[in-house]
Amino acid sequence: QGSRAFGDTSGRHTNVEAEIASVRLLNAAGEEIGAAPADEDVFIRLRLRLRKVGRGIRGVVDLYAKGVFLFRAVQPEEYISEARSVVDFLVRIPAHLLAETTYMVNVTVYTPAVVY
């Protein structure tokens, strides 16, 4: 896997349930930032376009440094889509957790298998 900038749309970013519209790094005020300050909370915002109604989805964010997997954050509850719409999932990274290095983020939309 190559490193990608926040908001890069390369790679597969859609499935039948939802489309990843954007991934952004935000500060505590909700403003987009280019780098995560080590001494402040930061947020990864996963914006999804929901394509199906009444289906459960979860946002998943994996964080890597120098090719090493560090942690995974998963939405604790499934979000049930009530309409075709756009939703934001936020993952908080606490202050003083990250070091001054380059990180890679991999995001996934998890949809449980449906048995027919």
Side-chain angles (χ1 to χ4, degrees):
Q1 291 186 29
S3 176
R4 296 184 184 156
F6 276 95
D8 186 355
T9 58
S10 59
R12 184 169 176 238
H13 59 278
T14 187
N15 68 21
V16 296
E17 307 295 335
E19 175 184 356
I20 300 171
S22 66
V23 179
R24 299 287 187 260
L25 185 64
L26 308 177
N27 63 18
E31 302 163 329
E32 288 187 30
I33 55 176
D39 59 346
E40 298 176 22
D41 287 358
V42 294
F43 296 84
I44 298 171
R45 183 189 71 204
L46 174 58
R47 178 163 287 168
L48 304 176
R49 283 191 190 96
L50 304 180
R51 302 172 70 153
K52 298 277 186 173
V53 176
R55 298 296 305 275
I57 61 171
R58 292 178 198 238
V60 179
V61 175
D62 293 336
L63 190 73
Y64 296 82
K66 298 179 183 176
V68 176
F69 173 74
L70 299 176
F71 67 83
R72 169 174 282 175
V74 180
Q75 289 299 123
E77 301 289 329
E78 282 185 356
Y79 178 86
I80 307 296
S81 58
E82 296 179 5
R84 290 178 56 130
S85 60
V86 175
V87 297
D88 288 342
F89 292 155
L90 288 177
V91 174
R92 181 178 70 89
I93 300 175
H96 307 291
L97 180 66
L98 301 178
E100 291 188 22
T101 190
T102 302
Y103 294 94
M104 186 182 86
V105 174
N106 185 41
V107 296
T108 306
V109 177
Y110 170 75
T111 53
V114 177
V115 179
Y116 292 99

